[in-house]
Amino acid sequence: MTAADVAIETIHHEMTAFARRARASAGRLHPELSLVSYTLLGHLEESGGCRATDLAAHYALDKSTVSRQVSALEGAGLIERRSDAQDQRVQVLHLTSAGTEILAQVTASRRVAFRERLAGWPEEDLRRFAGYLLRYNTAGPGPGPGTGSDPDTEPDPDPEPDPEPEPGVTASPIDSPTSG
C-alpha cells in the first residue's frame, strides 16, 4: 500500500467513526431528534422552507425516505406545510415555532460539544480542519453523505433514533434525525 492508500483508509475509518459518534450524540442531545431530523430542520431553516422533493434532491435521498422523515417531523409539530405563494398546488415545508426552538437548543448543545472536544486544539489547526472539511464537503461526486457510496457514512434512513449515534461530517439529513 502506498502512503496515499494508507491515508485514504485512515480517512475512511475515521469518518465512519465520526458519523457514528454524530448519530449517537444527536440522540443524547435530544432523544426525539435524530441526526437526520436535525439536518432536515437545519436545511429548512437555512433555506427558509422548501418542498420535500427539494430535500430529497439536496441530500440525494429517496423520496419515500424523506416522506417518512417529513411525516414524523410534522407529527411532532416541528414542521408544517404551507401552500406556495406562486403555485397554490405546491406544498412548502417550514419550521414551526417549536421546530425553531428545538433546532436552536440542539444547535447550541452541539456547538458546546464541539468546543469541548476541540478545546485543546491550536487556532491554526482549527482553521485547517475547517478548511479541509469545507473542501471535502464541497467537492464533486464521490464518497460522502448522499452519494450512496458508503452506507457506514450515509444518514440512517430509519425513522427511529439510534441508541448511540455519531456526528456526521456534513449536516446531512434524516436518520430518525445537522451543523455544529
Side-chain angles (χ1 to χ4, degrees):
M1 266 173 126
T2 67
D5 291 336
V6 171
I8 295 295
E9 286 304 310
T10 300
I11 291 167
H12 175 263
H13 180 267
E14 294 305 318
M15 289 187 68
T16 299
F18 184 69
R20 288 185 181 133
R21 276 193 316 278
R23 285 191 304 273
S25 68
R28 286 190 301 271
L29 292 173
H30 196 285
E32 294 82 35
L33 191 64
S34 71
L35 181 60
V36 170
S37 293
Y38 173 77
T39 303
L40 292 180
L41 293 177
H43 185 80
L44 290 175
E45 180 182 58
E46 289 173 17
S47 67
C50 68
R51 300 172 304 161
T53 55
D54 297 330
L55 287 172
H58 181 77
Y59 291 109
L61 294 168
D62 187 81
K63 289 177 188 176
S64 65
T65 298
V66 172
S67 178
R68 285 191 304 274
Q69 292 297 319
V70 164
S71 292
L73 291 170
E74 197 172 23
L78 302 178
I79 64 171
E80 63 187 3
R81 296 172 194 263
R82 297 183 204 154
S83 294
D84 185 287
Q86 282 79 39
D87 186 346
Q88 295 295 310
R89 299 169 296 172
V90 174
Q91 296 290 302
V92 179
L93 305 171
H94 292 274
L95 293 178
T96 62
S97 58
T100 300
E101 184 178 322
I102 285 177
L103 181 62
Q105 290 170 0
V106 174
T107 298
S109 296
R110 289 179 60 85
R111 284 193 179 119
V112 167
F114 275 109
R115 286 183 194 280
E116 288 173 358
R117 184 151 183 120
L118 301 170
W121 289 37
E123 189 174 320
E124 182 58 28
D125 286 356
L126 291 171
R127 281 198 300 266
R128 280 191 190 122
F129 187 49
Y132 293 146
L133 288 173
L134 282 168
R135 182 176 171 189
Y136 177 81
N137 288 323
T138 58
T147 64
S149 58
D150 186 349
D152 287 337
T153 59
E154 288 292 307
D156 183 356
D158 187 329
E160 296 183 30
D162 289 342
E164 281 293 290
E166 288 186 280
V169 172
T170 61
S172 180
I174 314 189
D175 326 21
S176 286
T178 138
S179 131

